[in-house]
Amino acid sequence: MGASLLAALVVAVLVAAVARRFDVSAPLVLVVAGLAGSTLPGFGDVALDPDLVLFVILPPLLWSAGMESSYVALRRNMRSIGLLAVGLPLVTTFVVGIVAYHTVPELTLAAALTLGAIVAPPDAVSATAVGRRLGLPRRTMTLLGGESLLNDATALTAYKVALAAAIGAATSWGTALGTFALAAVGGLVVGLVLGMLVHYVRTRLDDPLVESAIGLVAPFSIYLIAEEAHGSGVIAVVVAALLLGQRETQASYATRLQDKAVWKALQLVLESFAFLLIGLQLPAVVGELAGISAATLAISSAAVLAAVIGVRIVWVYGCTYLGRLFTKNHEPPPSHAQVFILSWAGMRGVVSLAAAFGIPLITLSGEQFPGRAQLCFLTFVVVVGTLLLHGLTLPWFIRVLGAEGDEAHSDAIATAAAQDKAARAAAERLDALLAEQPASAEVSHRAADVLRAWNTRRRNAAWERLGRDEEDIGESPTSAFRRLRLEMLAAERETFIAERDAGHIDDEVLRTVLHGLDLEEATLNRD
């Protein structure tokens, strides 16, 4: 199994690389590749371990999404996110549970509600991975991201309550509410305390390598501690990530550069592995369906998938338009295209499969869990069905409805204004420092002339990007400066490499000087 998992991980990254190279949706390609690979020897026995997903894959992905999220934007849209992250999973649990109870004879009501809780949340992996590529508007991505960050906590808590009832553990409404409150409050407290602790430790180390290492282990530790305290590991990781994301500016530039590179790579690896794992579970879910009528499976699958999709559409439209009638909302109404895209972007993912495979085989009474095989199969149908249906149709809907994000121009104007203000502040700081220098400090004044030219170039660059294309007005001074300096950097790099090859400098010296050149090139390309 270990070798198969390692091979699956390697294949996932290679498939994702090919998909990115040809600019196609990597999640969809990976799911299809997993479905095809499940029939090959060595891959058909790759079973999805719930603990692997919940304790290894989920925490870092939540952490990465939380670090990239805007606390200000989430707070501004808290009402809408709350309706999506708390209200919608609970409604979906109930509606899907009732539909499954009436279409799958083997399921008890508690088992059917367990299925509803399993397929209720669009997971963080699917929403962020697919949404980023589709160019969705920022507010839509904020709502989808905020929903996916928090709805796992709601759904997994409902799952625990429904599963307890299904296996015969006594539960009541009071117990259910207590479990939910403990999960929410416990996760919030653990996330705040450990998030501040991690921030305190990292800001006092002054060691970018160790700081990044602490950031890598933090989500796993926070998730585990919260779960051991009977809180929500999801909420704890998200809260801590949001806290550290807001205070990221207090870290050193080296830590920020290193964190960004490390987390982007890790995110790609884990997302690719998660999507491939989904497709590889086909033999596991089909192998347990012996003796079950194909007609029953077809009817129940269609009914449950339709319920999952339909309840989201009804909920999003109802909360958007009916909610504005009964509440004071001074914000401009969202466009019809944005509402539809939000209602249609309900991809499920690997967390749902992990929850389904985590259902015990027997109840506390020693009997077989009612309808477990159908429950796992229906979860697989919902996950693959929503990924393929929504993933394949969303780009088309976005183009037809004109729902692409239009923030690029406004962002450019805001960036240019901020860059202009920052450049003025930098010039004032330089003048103040020069005023403190002795009049004879000729070297400082010559350096100041270079710095003023550099500062002016950066100030003008942001405004130049707002103008016409270079095909219309020719090469701008900033573009010419960048092109020439990049060519100079390339020549320096070639010279250093040639000196290393000739044995005049050591590899360690080469890596040091290349790092400096790389940082300067990154700055030029950023401009």
Side-chain angles (χ1 to χ4, degrees), residues 120-164:
D123 79 340
V125 180
S126 304
T128 55
V130 176
R132 279 194 306 267
R133 180 180 177 274
L134 299 181
L136 295 177
R138 180 171 297 157
R139 185 168 188 271
T140 303
M141 280 301 296
T142 297
L143 295 178
L144 287 175
E147 175 194 9
S148 64
L149 284 173
L150 300 173
N151 61 10
D152 283 336
T154 304
L156 291 176
T157 303
Y159 164 76
K160 292 178 182 178
V161 174
L163 183 61

Side-chain angles (χ1 to χ4, degrees), residues 157-505:
T157 303
Y159 164 76
K160 292 178 182 178
V161 174
L163 183 61
I167 63 176
T171 186
S172 62
W173 285 108
T175 304
L177 291 175
T179 300
F180 187 87
L182 178 61
V185 176
L188 178 64
V189 172
V190 171
L192 285 174
V193 172
L194 295 184
M196 289 188 291
L197 178 62
V198 170
H199 176 69
Y200 177 84
V201 172
R202 281 175 44 127
T203 54
R204 281 155 180 78
L205 288 175
D206 194 24
D207 188 336
L209 184 61
V210 178
E211 291 174 43
S212 293
I214 291 175
L216 279 175
V217 301
F220 304 103
S221 305
I222 293 172
Y223 189 94
L224 180 61
I225 292 172
E227 289 292 321
E228 289 295 323
H230 303 289
S232 169
V234 173
I235 292 179
V237 170
V238 169
V239 168
L242 287 173
L243 188 151
L244 280 128
Q246 281 298 104
R247 302 184 180 185
E248 187 181 27
T249 53
Q250 299 177 21
S252 67
Y253 80 94
T255 301
R256 287 196 298 271
L257 286 173
Q258 189 163 261
D259 280 353
K260 184 175 182 180
V262 168
W263 280 104
K264 286 294 184 183
L266 182 61
Q267 187 176 353
L268 173 65
V269 171
L270 293 179
E271 285 182 355
S272 303
F273 186 48
F275 284 114
L276 188 73
L277 273 182
I278 291 173
L280 290 176
Q281 303 317 301
L282 179 61
V285 297
V286 173
E288 299 180 1
L289 298 176
I292 301 176
S293 168
T296 300
L297 289 175
I299 294 173
S300 59
S301 298
V304 169
L305 181 59
V308 169
I309 296 174
V311 71
R312 181 179 181 87
I313 295 175
V314 172
W315 181 265
V316 170
Y317 272 91
C319 291
T320 300
Y321 295 112
L322 293 180
R324 296 183 68 88
L325 296 177
F326 299 103
T327 60
K328 293 182 179 180
N329 195 333
H330 302 291
E331 294 183 0
S335 67
H336 296 297
Q338 290 178 342
V339 176
F340 176 78
I341 295 302
L342 184 63
S343 69
W344 194 246
M347 289 78 71
R348 271 57 179 178
V350 70
V351 174
S352 293
L353 277 178
F357 290 167
I359 293 176
L361 297 175
I362 60 175
T363 64
L364 296 180
S365 63
E367 299 177 352
Q368 294 288 326
F369 189 95
R372 186 181 185 278
Q374 295 96 312
L375 193 150
C376 292
F377 177 77
L378 290 174
T379 302
F380 183 81
V381 169
V382 169
V383 171
V384 175
T386 54
L387 278 174
L388 295 180
L389 177 62
H390 296 319
L392 290 172
T393 58
L394 263 175
W396 183 81
F397 279 127
I398 290 174
R399 288 194 300 270
V400 171
L401 298 175
E404 296 93 343
D406 58 353
E407 296 91 356
H409 186 67
S410 59
D411 285 351
I413 294 176
T415 300
Q419 180 66 66
D420 186 87
K421 185 179 295 185
R424 292 177 185 274
E428 292 174 1
R429 177 72 60 84
L430 177 62
D431 291 338
L433 291 173
L434 289 175
E436 300 173 359
Q437 298 288 331
S440 60
E442 183 65 25
V443 174
S444 296
H445 287 279
R446 286 201 301 269
D449 292 337
V450 176
L451 290 171
R452 285 195 183 96
W454 179 270
N455 195 47
T456 300
R457 186 189 66 81
R458 286 180 58 82
R459 178 180 172 185
N460 294 337
W463 294 113
E464 290 171 2
R465 285 195 291 268
L466 295 175
R468 293 171 293 170
D469 294 335
E470 290 186 359
E471 289 80 3
D472 299 329
I473 61 175
E475 189 177 34
S476 67
T478 300
S479 297
F481 178 93
R482 180 189 299 111
R483 175 175 58 80
L484 295 174
R485 183 55 187 154
L486 287 174
E487 289 293 336
M488 293 169 65
L489 290 176
E492 289 184 51
R493 189 177 287 111
E494 291 171 2
T495 301
F496 280 120
I497 294 173
E499 290 293 292
R500 188 277 312 271
D501 293 342
H504 297 157
I505 62 174

